Amino acid sequence: MAIEQTLSLIKPDGVSRGLIGEVIKRFEAAGLKIRALKMVRLTQEHARVFYEVHQERPFYDSLTQFMSSGPIVAMILEGEDAIEVNRRLMGATDYRQADPGTIRADFARDIEANIVHGSDSPETAATEINFFFNALELM
Ligand code: IDP
Ligand code: MG
């Protein structure tokens, strides 16, 4: 058990569908602390950098287009095992495989537009937090 930080994004579909409050409520109810938060709109070029690890995947163009299609909410979440806790609250990438009661099972109806992003390891959390936030923005 360790106190970790992780990057959470509410994707353009989550923002446009009015799910910002619902998602944040679930994070706070699970004991995760919000250490930084902002709304931004990525260019497709920025989305391509953020999702660089997926550049060989067939859905890369579509995903980066989707991620730059409207505003997103970026957050740093902190807490014990925050990376794993956040991933559990999100549910599986494919909403059809996500456990009942998870964000994706409850709200996503598309494998690409699946409401939220969450870092998957301490290394990616550090990289992704740095991508979105500078020292001044950390509470
Ligand atoms: P994750 O968001 O659960 O970590 P990843 O495998 O890292 O899932 O994929 C990143 C994002 O790419 C997913 O959240 C989803 O938006 C999109 N994605 C993943 N697999 C597919 C697919 O098979 N078709 C379309 N989009 C996908
Ligand atoms: Mg991922």
Side-chain angles (χ1 to χ4, degrees):
M1 292 285 211
I3 299 292
E4 292 175 337
Q5 291 190 338
T6 188
L7 182 86
S8 166
L9 300 178
I10 304 176
K11 296 183 178 184
D13 58 322
V15 172
S16 66
R17 289 176 56 194
L19 295 171
I20 297 172
E22 175 66 34
V23 169
I24 291 177
K25 187 184 72 175
R26 290 177 181 220
F27 293 157
E28 292 190 324
L32 294 169
K33 301 289 182 208
I34 295 167
R35 290 299 178 213
L37 182 154
K38 64 182 170 187
M39 182 179 277
V40 291
R41 181 163 180 174
L42 298 177
T43 63
Q44 189 170 5
E45 200 41 54
H46 279 131
R48 291 174 74 87
V49 174
F50 182 75
Y51 275 122
E52 210 158 34
V53 55
H54 293 310
Q55 61 188 324
E56 304 303 333
R57 310 284 285 277
F59 56 81
Y60 185 59
D61 280 343
S62 170
L63 172 64
T64 55
Q65 205 169 334
F66 161 62
M67 286 300 290
S68 56
S69 66
I72 63 176
V73 172
M75 285 169 273
I76 301 175
L77 305 177
E78 185 180 285
E80 237 171 54
D81 295 323
I83 295 167
E84 172 60 27
V85 169
N86 180 41
R87 296 287 310 190
R88 211 172 335 114
L89 293 169
M90 289 164 57
T93 309
D94 184 344
Y95 69 95
R96 291 164 297 193
Q97 263 126 55
D99 289 338
T102 59
I103 293 166
R104 284 163 166 175
D106 286 351
F107 300 111
R109 290 298 171 263
D110 187 279
I111 189 168
E112 179 176 274
N114 57 3
I115 319 285
V116 280
H117 166 86
S119 310
D120 61 7
S121 73
E123 293 69 34
T124 58
T127 308
E128 292 179 355
I129 284 170
N130 272 318
F131 184 88
F132 277 96
F133 293 98
N134 64 48
L136 273 179
E137 294 170 314
L138 262 159
M139 299 301 136

